[in-house]
């Protein structure tokens, strides 16, 4: 630290409190007399006694103190430094010497005491220059506030809007002094006075993403520095939904940056594909195809394959079972003792060589575009990674450590001795998942009990048990039924008692080391370690030591380490970090089966609604696409994954399959074949789906009704600040949901582009709207995303984009084979029976519509022939009609024209070739995965930026923590009292990090020294490079 000198020593003794106070007073008086900036004295746990004293820039003194030794201090410091040294020595000389059996662990305790429940406190005294006053979020400039906050603050004094505000005002008037800052959960309930102003500040400074600006408010928009949630030391601003450059979208996480890059690229890709299809649009909308489609129900389906040129034709041998009710008719009167039968014929020739080849070219253009998109996204991945330095860039994860390798200093020494690398942060994760989950649930239950009790109520066991008994005895029948739905005081207290019994047992066990996270000071060190230790998972699992590059790489001279680059810290699910494969696969199989059943049931529902009214079917599909992701989230919540990436990929698969099936495939299946090109048939339904996606879905997202309800109705009525803040967390949206929304629209366009080429334009327009709508929601209404990596983007590109291309090529061939979609084959005029030749009169269709028929001079006779190769369910010579080819026409029932047969054969065989290419791609991809099991698979992403970890603005250590629906911030699953605030990626402006420490909860329950165990909680050791060099000196 420039301008400071460190004075201290590695001692296990505990300073005398009175001596420390004298030291603090002497330092402050001296600073005032000498005109120096007032130092701040900090006494914290878990670090050696160190005193940082302001010095001139050219002065640096390092002195280590023990109980019997006092180093001479440079005379340039004068009497001031000597007094400091003398007083520090006195403070520690009043204590007995350290125990001999503890000396071996002194270094470990200096940096970390997180694993020992109830470990004795170790103090260090730090004199630092006073930090600038923290920024008061309540004094934000009005012009920098969101409109929601402005409206909220404008109405904050009105009782109808903010009942909590009126109550808070009265309570504050009754309170003689301001409430104390809670450093730990209270032993007696306190009066919680919620503030709507504080809640809105929480929304804008902790929920929404912000970037740091200079003191004068200026910034470089092409080099924005993301601020951590709750950043209060430096001024910040909200990201702007419109003007934030694409190059800075990686600030929200690599996954978010790649999503917006993909979204914009697909919009451009489909726009160009639409331009390619303009000849088809012009042909379909012209007089040559369907007399200008004069009767089309919407101008937006003109230019599609909708056939409005329909005529009734004689069909002597046809029966009503062969046709839809609106496409079969009989004469109104008997003719020669029998009713004449007629069928509706489509006189539209769509499958010309020109239209077929335009669509064929579109298929290859999309394939080429997806390949280029892959290369583009790989480049953007590097750009985003280099633009935003994060902890992941400096860290490794060791997944097979020895079970007793629980000392962070042992790992730090290993990497220092073997690679010469400085390990700034070492996190040793223990296999204590059940204990952590129990502590989290206990804290949540206690908080729920606390907020429902009157201020001043003791929270001891006897008081709570008495109150629980009183409530249970006084319950009515209705109260008992209500308690089954919403647990009350007896249920919560009973659960607390049960959890405390389990915690007392689990906390007496020693837990094995399961994972180790090491964050180095430089990217170079991380890359060197990964390159040296990555030898393939197969060799590591079998400990083929001969594959180790150098013998010194073996940990403890015998163990090959399995190392990889970890996910970002805020994506790690610490309570599920130590899962076995079966613990992951079993719940996934169950939830996948449940999803499949739901898809089937919803498909049946959509079919029923479609038979009733098409418009409502499109709305039902849109509603299902909005609601199913919420159901999928509930199902996925029963799964267990070690990172948020696993959760998102599982969610992506469920939602994508659902949306692809309901939006595209189901409509193809449930729509009768003869209604494919009807004016109000399949194409019109697709148009309605696109319309709802463009208008309805985006309008609902922008309005954000659930978010408005939470922020403007529920939050002002919350009784605690935590509850008020939780209503300001923003709408919970997953990245998987946004990806599936994009792929759904793309899949819909590719699936139907052969018969509805304008769908490509609608897809492009919808994605452009989504691009800006999602940017607005991301920066103004959504809950902050975890900083996901490339997992979802890679999964989407490999599997779903490939699948969409294969589906497009296959279905296009089938759509071309079905024209003219009327199930009629021409017998020729010579085969027309005599009664039909001179018939003129009314005919009545099965839906009781009356039509006039006039026999023409060249009238032909037609017969029923099934033209549907896709849904026919039949076989030809015992073979399934795949791919779509002209050879599948039944002999004597050929309906295809010569040009149509040529188009279908080209597209059909091409679809086989594309499918083979896709299979080959997956085989190669799988073989690459297998290959990585036997060799070094580490490939650095981008160039080394040459920035030290200590200089990264938005850095965070791998601190074990669990998220809660009751608290606004995570609960800590390790003793992080020795960590600086910069080690966390969040800051609560109202409480210190220690308030969220679960290890202290366990220490309060385990009071007997004999039952305390050292290896209970994960341990974290944070040694900045500057401190390490100081110690070395």
């Amino acid at each position: 630290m420039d301008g400071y000198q460190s004075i201290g020593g590695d001692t296990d003794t505990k300073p005398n409190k009175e001596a420390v106070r004298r030291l603090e007073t002497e330092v402050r008086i001296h600073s005032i007399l000498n005109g120096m900036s007032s130092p701040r004295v900090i006494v914290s746990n878990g670090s050696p006694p160190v005193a940082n004293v302001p010095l001139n820039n050219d002065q640096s003194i390092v002195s280590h103190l023990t109980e019997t030794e006092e180093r001479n201090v440079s005379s340039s410091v004068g009497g001031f430094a000597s007094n400091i040294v003398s007083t520090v020595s006195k403070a520690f000389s009043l204590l007995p010497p350290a125990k001999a059996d503890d000396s071996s662990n002194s270094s470990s305790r200096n940096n970390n005491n997180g694993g020992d429940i109830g470990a004795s406190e170790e103090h260090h005294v730090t004199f630092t220059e006073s930090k600038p006053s923290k920024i008061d979020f309540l004094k934000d400039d009005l012009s920098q506030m969101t409109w929601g906050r402005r409206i909220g603050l404008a109405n904050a004094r009105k009782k109808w809007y903010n009942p909590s505000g009126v109550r808070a005002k009265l309570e504050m008037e009754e309170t003689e002094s301001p409430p104390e800052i809670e450093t730990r959960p209270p032993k007696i309930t306190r009066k919680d006075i919620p503030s709507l102003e504080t809640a809105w500040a929480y929304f804008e400074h902790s929920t929404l993403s912000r970037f740091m600006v200079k003191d004068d408010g200026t910034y470089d928009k092409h080099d924005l520095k993301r601020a951590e949630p709750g950043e209060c030391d430096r001024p910040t601003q909200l990201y702007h939904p419109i003007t934030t450059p694409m190059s800075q979208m990686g600030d929200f996480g690599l996954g978010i940056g790649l999503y917006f890059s993909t979204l914009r690229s697909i919009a451009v890709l489909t726009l160009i594909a639409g331009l390619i299809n303009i000849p088809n649009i012009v042909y379909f909308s012209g007089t040559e195809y369907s007399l200008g489609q004069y009767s089309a129900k919407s101008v937006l389906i003109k230019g599609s394959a909708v056939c409005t040129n329909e005529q009734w034709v004689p069909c002597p041998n046809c029966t009503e079972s062969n046709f839809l009710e609106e496409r079969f008719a009989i004469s109104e009167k008997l003719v020669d003792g029998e009713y004449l039968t007629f069928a509706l014929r489509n006189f539209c020739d769509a499958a010309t060589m020109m239209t077929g080849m335009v669509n064929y070219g579109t298929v290859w253009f999309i394939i080429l575009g997806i390949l280029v998109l892959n290369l583009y996204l790989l480049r953007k991945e590097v750009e985003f990674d280099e633009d935003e330095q994060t902890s992941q860039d400096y860290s490794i994860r060791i997944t097979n450590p020895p079970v007793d390798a629980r000392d962070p200093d042992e790992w730090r020494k290993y990497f220092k001795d073997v690679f010469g690398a400085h390990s700034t942060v070492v996190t040793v994760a223990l296999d204590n998942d059940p204990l952590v989950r129990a502590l989290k649930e206990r804290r949540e239950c206690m908080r729920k009990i606390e907020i429902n009790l009157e201020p001043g109520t003791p929270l001891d066991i006897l008081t709570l048990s008495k109150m629980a008994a009183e409530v249970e005895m006084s319950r009515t029948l209705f109260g008992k039924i209500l308690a089954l739905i919403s647990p009350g005081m007896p249920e919560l207290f009973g659960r607390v008692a049960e959890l405390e019994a389990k915690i007392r047992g689990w906390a007496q066990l020693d837990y094995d080391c399961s994972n180790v996270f090491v964050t180095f000071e430089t990217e170079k060190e991380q890359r060197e370690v990964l390159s040296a230790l990555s030898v393939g998972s197969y060799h590591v699992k079998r400990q083929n030591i001969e594959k180790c590059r150098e013998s010194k790489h073996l940990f403890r001279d015998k163990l090959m380490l399995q190392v990889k680059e970890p996910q970002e810290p805020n994506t790690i699910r610490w309570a599920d970090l130590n899962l076995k494969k079966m613990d992951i696969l079993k719940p996934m199989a169950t939830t996948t089966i449940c999803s499949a059943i739901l898809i089937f049931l919803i498909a049946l529902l959509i079919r029923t609604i479609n038979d009733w009214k098409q418009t409502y079917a499109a709305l039902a599909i849109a509603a299902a696409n909005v609601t199913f992701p919420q159901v999928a989230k509930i199902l996925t919540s029963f799964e267990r994954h070690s990172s948020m990436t696993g959760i998102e990929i599982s969610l992506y698969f469920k939602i994508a399959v659902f949306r692809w099936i309901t939006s595209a495939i189901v409509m193809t299946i449930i729509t009768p074949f003869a209604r494919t090109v009807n004016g109000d048939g399949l194409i019109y339904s697709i148009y309605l789906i696109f319309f709802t996606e463009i208008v309805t879905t985006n309008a609902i997202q922008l309005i954000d009704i659930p978010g408005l309800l939470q922020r403007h109705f529920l939050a002002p009525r919350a009784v605690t600040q935590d509850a008020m803040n939780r209503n300001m967390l923003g709408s919970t949206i997953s990245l998987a949901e946004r990806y599936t929304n994009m792929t759904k629209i793309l899949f819909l366009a590719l699936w139907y582009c052969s018969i509805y080429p304008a769908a490509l334009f609608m897809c492009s327009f919808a994605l452009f709207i989504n691009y800006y709508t999602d940017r607005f929601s991301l920066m103004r209404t959504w809950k902050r995303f975890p900083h996901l990596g490339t997992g979802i983007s890679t999964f989407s590109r490999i599997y779903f984009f490939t699948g969409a291309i294969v589906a497009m090529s296959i279905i296009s061939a089938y759509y071309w084979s079905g024209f003219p979609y009327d199930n009629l084959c021409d017998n020729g005029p010579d085969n027309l029976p005599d009664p039909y030749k001179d018939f003129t009169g009314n005919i009545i269709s099965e839906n009781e519509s009356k039509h006039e028929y006039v026999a023409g001079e060249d009238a032909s006779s037609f017969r029923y022939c099934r033209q549907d190769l896709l849904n026919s369910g039949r076989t030809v010579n015992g073979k399934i009609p795949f791919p779509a080819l002209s050879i599948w026409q039944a002999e004597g029932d050929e309906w295809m024209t010569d040009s149509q047969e040529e188009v279908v054969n080209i597209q059909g065989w091409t679809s086989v070739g594309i499918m083979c290419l896709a299979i080959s791609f997956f085989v190669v991809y799988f073989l690459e995965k297998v290959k990585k099991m036997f060799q070094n698979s580490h490939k650095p992403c981008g160039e080394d930026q040459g920035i030290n970890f200590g200089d990264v603005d938005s850095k965070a250590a791998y601190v074990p923590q669990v998220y809660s629906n009751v608290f606004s911030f995570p609960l800590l699953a390790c003793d992080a009292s020795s960590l600086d605030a910069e080690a966390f990626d969040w800051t609560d402006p109202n409480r210190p990090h220690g308030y969220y420490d679960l290890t202290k909860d366990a220490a309060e329950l385990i009071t007997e020294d004999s039952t305390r165990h050292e290896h209970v909680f994960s341990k974290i050791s944070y040694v900045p490079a500057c401190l390490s060099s100081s110690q070395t000196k």
Side-chain angles (χ1 to χ4, degrees):
M1 185 180 297
D2 293 338
Y4 290 85
Q5 88 125 19
S6 298
I7 302 176
D10 296 332
T11 179
D12 292 327
T13 60
K14 184 175 180 180
N16 180 277
K17 295 183 178 179
E18 183 61 32
V20 171
R21 281 195 290 270
R22 290 199 305 271
L23 172 62
E24 178 180 1
T25 303
E26 183 173 352
V27 170
R28 289 178 175 171
I29 293 175
H30 188 89
S31 64
I32 294 173
L33 293 176
N34 290 274
M36 302 173 64
S37 58
S38 300
R40 182 164 55 93
V41 178
I42 304 172
V43 181
S44 59
N45 300 335
S47 297
V50 178
N52 288 341
V53 184
L55 299 175
N56 296 328
N57 292 333
D58 58 346
Q59 296 173 332
S60 177
I61 296 179
V62 178
S63 180
H64 295 273
L65 304 176
T66 64
E67 300 169 26
T68 58
E69 179 183 7
E70 177 179 329
R71 300 284 178 89
N72 292 327
V73 182
S74 174
S75 59
S76 62
V77 182
F80 170 58
S82 299
N83 290 338
I84 295 292
V85 173
S86 176
T87 310
V88 171
S89 300
K90 292 176 182 178
F92 286 89
S93 64
L94 299 177
L95 292 176
K99 296 180 181 180
D101 57 353
D102 288 342
S103 60
S104 61
N105 295 326
S106 63
S107 177
S108 173
R109 288 195 303 271
N110 285 340
N111 294 319
N112 169 74
N113 61 352
D116 189 356
I117 294 181
S120 61
E121 293 183 344
E122 297 175 311
H123 297 269
H124 75 276
V125 184
T126 305
F127 301 91
T128 63
E129 186 178 16
S130 294
K131 293 184 178 180
S133 58
K134 295 185 180 297
I135 297 172
D136 188 353
F137 297 155
L138 302 182
K139 297 179 181 179
D140 286 346
D141 188 84
L142 186 65
S143 63
Q144 298 296 323
M145 296 182 184
T146 60
W147 281 104
R149 184 181 182 185
R150 297 183 196 185
I151 294 172
L153 297 184
N155 294 286
R157 304 303 178 203
K158 299 177 181 178
K159 185 176 181 179
W160 63 268
Y161 178 82
N162 184 21
S164 297
V166 176
R167 183 176 69 251
K169 182 178 180 181
L170 295 175
E171 292 176 348
M172 290 180 66
E173 291 174 354
E174 298 173 358
T175 305
E176 296 180 358
S177 59
E180 298 179 4
I181 296 177
E182 292 181 312
T183 58
R184 289 290 299 146
K187 301 298 183 183
I188 299 177
T189 57
R190 301 181 182 182
K191 184 177 293 185
D192 195 337
I193 306 177
S195 165
L196 189 60
E197 291 84 353
T198 301
W200 274 107
Y202 172 85
F203 173 70
E204 291 196 358
H205 287 268
S206 294
T207 296
L208 301 184
S209 296
R210 305 176 72 91
F211 62 91
M212 290 178 285
V213 299
K214 299 178 182 178
D215 292 336
D216 59 1
T218 60
Y219 58 89
D220 180 2
K221 72 174 185 178
H222 295 291
D223 188 24
L224 303 180
K225 301 299 181 183
R226 174 177 54 88
E228 296 295 352
E231 172 63 51
C232 56
D233 293 326
R234 288 175 285 186
T236 60
Q237 285 187 18
L238 291 169
Y239 286 87
H240 196 279
I242 304 298
T243 60
T244 301
M246 173 60 78
S247 61
Q248 301 303 303
M249 295 303 293
D251 291 1
F252 298 88
L254 192 56
I256 293 292
L258 291 175
Y259 163 69
F260 280 101
S261 298
T262 306
L263 186 60
R264 188 175 65 175
S265 300
I266 293 295
V268 173
L269 178 66
T270 51
L271 175 62
I272 299 174
L275 295 175
I276 293 174
N277 277 265
I278 286 179
N280 281 9
I281 295 174
V282 172
Y283 172 76
F284 287 142
S285 62
T287 57
E288 184 181 354
Y289 173 69
S290 183
L291 304 178
Q293 297 178 330
Y294 59 91
S295 61
K297 296 186 67 171
S298 171
V299 67
L300 292 179
I301 65 172
K302 285 188 175 183
S304 68
V306 167
C307 182
T308 59
N309 185 13
E310 301 171 319
Q311 295 180 23
W312 290 97
V313 297
C315 191
N317 298 320
C318 294
T319 64
E320 59 185 75
S321 62
N322 299 140
F323 298 92
L324 299 174
E325 60 180 14
E326 71 270 15
R327 301 191 70 87
F328 179 79
I330 60 175
S331 59
E332 187 176 21
K333 300 177 180 179
L334 292 173
V335 179
D336 294 339
E338 62 180 0
Y339 289 104
L340 304 183
T341 56
F342 299 85
L344 195 59
R345 170 73 168 172
N346 294 330
F347 286 92
C348 299
D349 183 15
T352 65
M353 183 57 67
M354 185 272 292
T355 55
M357 289 302 99
V358 167
N359 179 251
Y360 184 70
T362 303
V363 172
W364 284 109
F365 173 77
I366 293 294
I367 293 174
L368 179 62
I370 294 297
L371 292 176
V372 173
L373 174 63
N374 283 331
L375 297 176
Y376 169 74
L377 291 177
L378 290 174
R379 182 169 63 84
K380 294 299 293 184
E381 179 181 329
V382 174
E383 289 181 7
F384 287 137
D385 184 72
E386 292 180 347
D387 178 72
E388 186 72 14
Q389 294 296 107
T390 63
S391 302
Q392 183 183 24
D393 299 320
Y394 300 85
S395 304
I396 65 170
R397 176 183 174 183
I398 302 166
T399 57
N400 68 331
V403 295
D404 60 343
R406 307 181 186 97
D407 185 3
D409 286 341
E410 181 183 9
W411 292 100
R412 180 173 283 110
K413 183 176 185 300
Y414 165 76
F415 288 109
K416 184 68 175 178
D417 294 345
V418 176
F419 299 99
H422 173 69
S423 306
T424 303
V425 186
V426 178
T427 302
V428 178
L430 304 187
D431 187 9
N432 61 351
D433 297 354
L435 173 62
V436 172
R437 285 194 291 268
L439 285 167
K440 170 197 168 186
E441 187 179 354
R442 176 189 175 274
R443 176 76 78 95
E444 291 174 338
C445 291
M446 288 299 296
R447 181 57 177 165
K448 291 176 182 177
I449 292 173
E450 177 191 348
I451 62 179
N452 287 305
L453 298 179
E454 291 294 327
T457 304
L459 293 174
D460 60 275
I461 296 296
L462 289 177
T463 301
L464 295 180
S465 59
K466 178 184 177 182
M467 296 180 68
E470 291 174 345
V471 172
E472 191 165 15
M473 291 293 292
S474 62
R475 270 182 179 164
T476 62
L477 178 61
F478 176 76
K480 293 178 181 179
I481 296 175
L482 185 63
L484 297 176
I485 303 173
S486 177
M489 175 71 175
E491 290 74 27
L492 290 173
F493 177 74
R495 184 58 180 162
V496 168
E498 180 184 354
L499 290 170
E500 288 186 352
K502 291 182 178 181
I503 292 169
R504 286 189 174 96
W506 283 330
Q508 296 180 57
L509 304 177
D510 284 333
Y511 293 93
D512 294 338
C513 174
S514 61
N515 286 269
V516 177
F517 296 83
V518 181
T519 302
F520 299 101
E521 185 60 24
T522 66
E523 279 189 273
K524 180 181 178 182
E525 293 172 339
Q526 183 241 26
R527 296 182 179 198
E528 288 177 350
V529 171
L530 281 174
S531 178
L533 298 183
S534 298
V535 295
S537 58
Y538 176 85
H539 299 304
V540 173
K541 186 175 182 179
R542 285 159 180 77
Q543 288 296 300
N544 297 331
I545 297 178
E546 66 276 4
K547 296 295 182 179
C548 189
R549 298 188 178 184
E550 296 185 44
S551 59
K552 67 177 183 178
H553 292 167
L554 297 174
F555 185 73
R556 294 179 176 176
D557 297 326
K558 61 181 181 180
L559 178 68
M560 295 176 66
L561 297 177
Q562 177 70 57
V563 299
K564 61 181 180 180
E565 188 174 77
Q567 302 286 331
E568 291 290 352
N570 63 359
T571 68
I572 303 294
R573 292 167 55 89
W574 295 93
D576 294 323
L577 189 63
N578 308 298
L579 298 173
K580 298 178 180 179
K581 285 189 176 181
M582 291 307 297
D583 295 331
I584 299 175
L585 294 178
K586 285 182 179 179
M588 281 186 65
T590 303
T591 56
T592 302
I593 293 172
C594 292
S595 298
I597 295 173
L598 280 174
I599 291 172
F600 176 74
L601 294 176
I602 292 175
L604 289 180
L605 178 62
I606 292 173
R607 178 173 184 173
T608 303
I609 297 174
N610 186 70
D611 292 340
W612 174 43
K613 197 164 186 177
Q614 278 182 299
T615 304
Y616 292 160
L619 292 176
I621 290 173
N625 284 331
V626 172
T627 56
F628 181 80
Q630 308 309 318
V631 177
K633 289 176 186 177
I634 295 174
L635 290 174
T636 309
S637 67
F638 292 99
E639 298 177 8
R640 299 176 64 187
H641 297 270
S642 60
S643 72
M644 285 303 300
T645 300
I647 289 285
E648 291 289 324
I649 290 177
S650 177
L651 195 60
Y652 181 101
F653 177 79
K654 294 180 181 67
I655 301 175
V657 170
F658 173 83
R659 285 177 162 173
W660 283 25
I661 290 176
T662 56
S663 297
I665 300 174
V666 165
M667 291 304 298
T668 301
I669 295 173
I670 69 176
T671 302
F673 175 79
R675 288 181 184 157
T676 301
V677 295
N678 255 16
D680 57 353
L682 177 63
I683 295 176
Y684 183 68
S685 298
I686 302 309
Y687 152 73
L688 291 175
I689 294 174
F690 271 114
F691 182 82
T692 55
E693 288 295 335
I694 294 173
V695 178
T696 309
T697 305
N698 286 295
I700 292 174
Q701 179 178 321
L702 286 175
I703 296 173
D704 187 28
I705 295 175
L708 290 176
L709 181 65
Q710 285 186 308
R711 293 189 291 274
H712 293 281
F713 183 80
L714 297 179
R717 286 155 181 80
V719 297
T720 67
Q721 192 64 55
D722 266 333
M724 192 174 281
N725 288 352
R726 287 198 307 276
N727 283 307
M728 294 288 182
L729 285 175
S731 304
T732 302
I733 300 292
S734 70
L735 186 58
E737 183 179 351
R738 304 319 303 159
Y739 260 102
T740 56
N741 185 68
M742 172 184 64
T743 56
K744 169 199 65 181
I745 297 174
L746 173 63
F747 185 77
L748 194 65
L750 299 184
W751 185 270
Y752 291 109
C753 67
S754 56
I755 59 174
Y756 189 15
L760 294 166
F761 283 118
M762 298 188 74
C763 172
S764 177
F765 184 69
L767 294 182
F768 273 121
I769 295 295
N770 283 354
Y771 175 77
Y772 287 103
T773 301
D774 285 357
R775 281 172 64 102
F776 175 84
S777 298
L778 175 69
M779 301 177 192
R780 290 296 181 269
T781 62
W782 284 345
K783 184 178 181 179
R784 188 183 292 255
F785 279 93
H787 284 193
L788 298 170
T790 63
I792 299 180
S793 176
T794 302
F795 187 80
S796 181
R797 295 198 308 267
I798 291 175
Y799 296 104
F800 282 88
F801 283 174
T802 306
I805 292 172
V806 172
M808 176 189 183
S809 63
I810 293 175
I811 199 65
S812 293
Y814 279 105
Y815 276 133
W816 289 118
S817 72
F819 281 101
Y821 289 96
D822 55 16
N823 287 330
L824 289 172
C825 291
D826 194 347
N827 291 324
D830 296 337
N831 296 317
L832 182 65
D834 292 337
Y836 289 90
K837 293 180 180 179
D838 300 323
F839 176 76
T840 298
N842 292 329
I843 59 176
I844 301 175
S845 61
E846 287 298 304
N847 62 357
E848 300 183 354
S849 298
K850 185 179 291 187
H851 311 275
E852 183 178 357
Y853 176 81
V854 179
E857 295 181 359
D858 55 350
S860 294
S861 171
F862 289 84
R863 69 185 183 278
Y864 171 77
C865 61
R866 189 159 190 176
Q867 301 167 348
D868 186 5
L869 295 181
L870 183 61
N871 296 324
S872 63
R874 68 183 182 185
T875 59
V876 178
N877 298 325
K879 298 179 181 179
I880 298 175
F882 176 82
L885 298 171
S886 61
I887 61 174
W888 303 123
Q889 299 176 95
E891 186 176 354
D893 282 340
E894 295 86 356
W895 70 87
M896 296 186 192
T897 64
D898 292 340
S899 60
Q900 184 179 3
E901 288 185 351
E902 193 171 353
V903 169
V904 170
N905 291 335
I906 292 173
Q907 295 251 22
W909 286 117
T910 299
S911 67
V912 174
I914 292 174
M915 189 170 63
C916 291
L917 287 175
I919 294 173
S920 300
F921 168 75
F922 287 128
V923 170
V924 171
Y925 179 75
F926 174 75
L927 292 177
E928 286 291 328
K929 287 287 187 182
V930 174
K931 183 180 178 181
K932 290 179 181 179
M933 296 172 58
F934 297 91
Q935 63 181 26
N936 184 350
S937 60
H938 173 65
K939 293 182 180 179
C941 181
E943 299 294 330
D944 182 357
Q945 300 302 295
I947 302 174
N948 286 357
F949 180 71
D951 298 327
V952 175
D953 291 318
S954 300
K955 58 178 175 287
Y958 284 86
V959 181
Q961 52 192 337
V962 289
Y963 292 90
S964 167
N965 293 326
V966 177
F967 294 92
S968 305
F969 295 92
L971 300 173
L972 303 179
C974 68
D975 183 357
S977 58
S978 62
L979 296 180
D980 293 335
E982 65 181 9
F984 298 89
D985 59 356
W986 54 272
T987 301
D988 185 348
N990 301 315
R991 296 185 181 119
H993 290 96
Y995 174 86
Y996 301 95
D997 192 342
L998 293 177
T999 66
K1000 295 180 181 179
D1001 294 10
E1004 292 171 359
L1005 296 176
I1006 305 296
T1007 56
E1008 299 82 5
D1009 291 340
S1010 60
T1011 59
R1012 292 174 180 167
H1013 283 246
E1014 181 179 358
H1015 307 302
V1016 178
F1017 289 101
S1018 300
K1019 305 178 183 181
I1020 182 169
S1021 172
Y1022 183 27
V1023 179
C1026 57
L1027 179 58
S1028 177
S1029 61
S1030 175
Q1031 290 176 342
T1032 302
K1033 292 178 183 179

